[in-house]
Amino acid sequence: MSALRHSSRRMARFLSPRTVPVYFARHASRIDIPFTPPPVPVLEHCPSPTCQCRPMPEGLDIEREQDISSSMASYAEQVLICSGKEDWTSRIEDEEGTDGALVRQLKGLLGQRGKFSDPYHNVMLTNSSFPPTESPTHQTARSSQKATDSRSIPVAKPGKDPAIARDQDTPDTPPASAFLLPSFQYVPSIPTESSAVEAFIKAFILPSQLHQSHDTLSREQQNILKRQPEHQRRFIGARKVDEILVLICGHGGRDERCGKLGPILRDEFEDKLQRQNVALLHDAPVAEAEVVNTEVEGYVPTARVGLVSHIGGHKWAGNVIVYIPPSFSTNPLAGKGIWYGRVGPEHVEGIVGKTILDGKVIKELFRGGISQDREILRL
């Protein structure tokens, strides 16, 4: 009985309200996060077309579930080589001729373990269907060559290594031409001789300001990786770019989705741009063009529409990059490159009207963007 009474007292103490643990609900403090507006004007969806557009090819395996925002390649400069071709081998460095020679040398110098390799300044090398500018020197050399015996055996120039003659400047290898973006520069004549390619990199491609991580390098090492604008004098005819550039991946040698869809989108863009009174440029880019004032009365904007080699994301075909030149000062996207994915013919009219003319980014198609100061644009 005593044992029972003692047990009852212990039970009573256990059940006493003073000993029952109390749990307090905790609520996270409310933090007001200020609204940050997007860096560019945004439109959620692409408007439906108001006129006839070309049909979408059937049977293309295009991925439509994944979020493609921020899926573009990270780069500081795109070297857009004018190859005059509409398709290429799977690896563009395997191409014969001028464009292949330039790509091989640029990759060797800028790639991993190359002389100018810089992980904080990625350079994207891309071929385009735009025709190159033919230099007067090559025209003369070509005319002279026609007058020689076609059965003669070519001899390498003095001082040139015959083993790498195809990568050096010979009458059969004319200078290359390239657009540099987002620098918005055009270099009409880039000799493929090794010292000239190095000068081209120093003059236009290397950064003007090194990343702070390079502060630990010696002054000599820093100077190697830093741009030297004085070399630009060697490249006669280099100019600013004032035309709109629409680049569409059409690399069928790499992926059939882009190979089939690219030419259709090119034709669609040309049609819709002309409907908006934008003049199309098909001839080889001119050198030393006059300064363009887009604000004068009666000004007619110009554009180039071309196919380009692999830029990443074939599964999101069609892939399109739109570059709006800085001279379009009233356009909110002036000096910027906008990457779109999953573009079909039905989107082209909307891209022309809303992005190219009005300066608005279409969010549902947006893969990313880049500004003239190399800032990556994200929504």
Side-chain angles (χ1 to χ4, degrees):
M1 193 66 174
S2 174
L4 180 59
R5 283 200 300 268
H6 291 165
S7 298
S8 298
R9 291 193 195 102
R10 286 195 295 270
M11 184 65 70
R13 285 197 300 271
F14 179 78
L15 296 176
S16 171
R18 291 175 296 177
T19 62
V20 174
V22 178
Y23 298 95
F24 296 95
R26 296 186 178 183
H27 300 280
S29 60
R30 187 181 185 125
I31 300 176
D32 291 327
I33 301 176
F35 171 72
T36 303
V40 290
V42 175
L43 193 66
E44 287 290 328
H45 301 286
C46 189
S48 299
T50 61
C51 59
Q52 186 82 16
C53 58
R54 289 162 175 78
M56 183 78 171
E58 296 181 359
L60 298 185
D61 183 18
I62 298 174
E63 198 284 323
R64 299 193 180 276
E65 300 299 325
Q66 188 176 349
D67 181 9
I68 61 175
S69 179
S70 303
S71 66
M72 77 169 203
S74 177
Y75 66 103
E77 195 77 72
Q78 181 178 15
V79 180
L80 187 70
I81 301 168
C82 298
S83 75
K85 303 175 184 177
E86 296 195 350
D87 199 7
W88 307 270
T89 57
S90 179
R91 301 193 324 156
I92 60 174
E93 59 267 35
D94 293 336
E95 286 284 318
E96 294 293 333
T98 299
D99 45 326
L102 181 59
V103 171
R104 286 189 291 274
Q105 294 207 62
L106 290 174
K107 278 200 168 188
L109 291 166
L110 294 166
Q112 191 176 15
R113 293 188 295 275
K115 179 178 180 179
F116 302 110
S117 177
D118 184 348
Y120 302 100
H121 189 80
N122 294 326
V123 178
M124 182 167 60
L125 305 177
T126 315
N127 276 355
S128 77
S129 61
F130 299 140
T133 300
E134 191 169 18
S135 67
T137 302
H138 179 62
Q139 289 176 347
T140 303
R142 188 176 58 176
S143 299
S144 300
Q145 189 175 10
K146 287 182 179 179
T148 62
D149 186 355
S150 61
R151 293 171 297 176
S152 61
I153 300 175
V155 178
K157 289 183 178 180
K160 299 204 173 197
D161 183 355
I164 56 173
R166 71 172 185 166
D167 286 357
Q168 299 185 358
D169 187 22
T170 70
D172 292 326
T173 307
S177 302
F179 287 91
L180 307 178
L181 304 156
S183 291
F184 287 93
Q185 289 182 298
Y186 177 69
V187 184
S189 182
I190 310 166
T192 55
E193 189 270 329
S194 57
S195 63
V197 174
E198 284 202 26
F200 169 67
I201 292 173
K202 294 174 183 177
F204 298 101
I205 306 301
L206 298 181
S208 299
Q209 186 69 37
L210 295 181
H211 190 273
Q212 60 184 9
S213 298
H214 292 313
D215 291 345
T216 58
L217 298 178
S218 68
R219 181 59 58 90
E220 182 181 2
Q221 290 173 315
Q222 291 181 20
N223 288 338
I224 291 175
L225 298 178
K226 197 171 181 180
R227 183 177 300 184
Q228 300 173 33
E230 61 270 19
H231 287 282
Q232 294 181 8
R233 295 192 300 267
R234 296 181 56 175
F235 299 89
I236 306 299
R239 65 169 175 88
K240 293 294 183 183
V241 172
D242 289 304
E243 59 261 47
I244 299 161
L245 297 178
V246 180
L247 313 178
I248 306 157
C249 185
H251 199 165
R254 187 75 174 258
D255 188 281
E256 71 168 353
R257 287 167 289 195
C258 291
K260 290 181 178 179
L261 186 54
I264 295 173
L265 292 178
R266 176 195 55 196
D267 295 343
E268 191 71 22
F269 267 104
E270 289 191 342
D271 177 54
K272 296 305 186 285
L273 284 165
Q274 287 182 308
R275 287 173 181 263
Q276 294 292 342
N277 297 318
V278 177
L280 297 177
L281 302 174
H282 294 106
D283 294 337
V286 298
E288 296 182 326
E290 295 181 0
V291 177
V292 174
N293 183 358
T294 62
E295 298 180 6
V296 298
E297 186 177 354
Y299 171 75
V300 177
T302 59
R304 293 185 184 276
V305 182
L307 301 178
V308 299
S309 60
H310 180 61
I311 56 175
H314 285 311
K315 63 183 178 180
W316 301 312
N319 288 292
V320 176
I321 310 175
V322 177
Y323 284 105
I324 308 294
S327 55
F328 285 64
S329 55
T330 58
N331 189 311
L333 299 180
K336 295 178 175 61
I338 303 301
W339 286 52
Y340 284 143
R342 300 189 184 122
V343 175
E346 70 276 12
H347 299 122
V348 172
E349 183 185 46
I351 293 173
V352 170
K354 297 303 180 182
T355 298
I356 295 177
L357 299 180
D358 292 349
K360 296 179 181 177
V361 167
I362 301 171
K363 187 175 181 179
E364 67 172 328
L365 305 175
F366 186 64
R367 289 188 59 188
I370 188 170
S371 67
Q372 202 173 11
D373 59 3
R374 278 70 181 175
E375 177 187 0
I376 300 300
L377 305 178
R378 308 190 188 283
L379 300 182

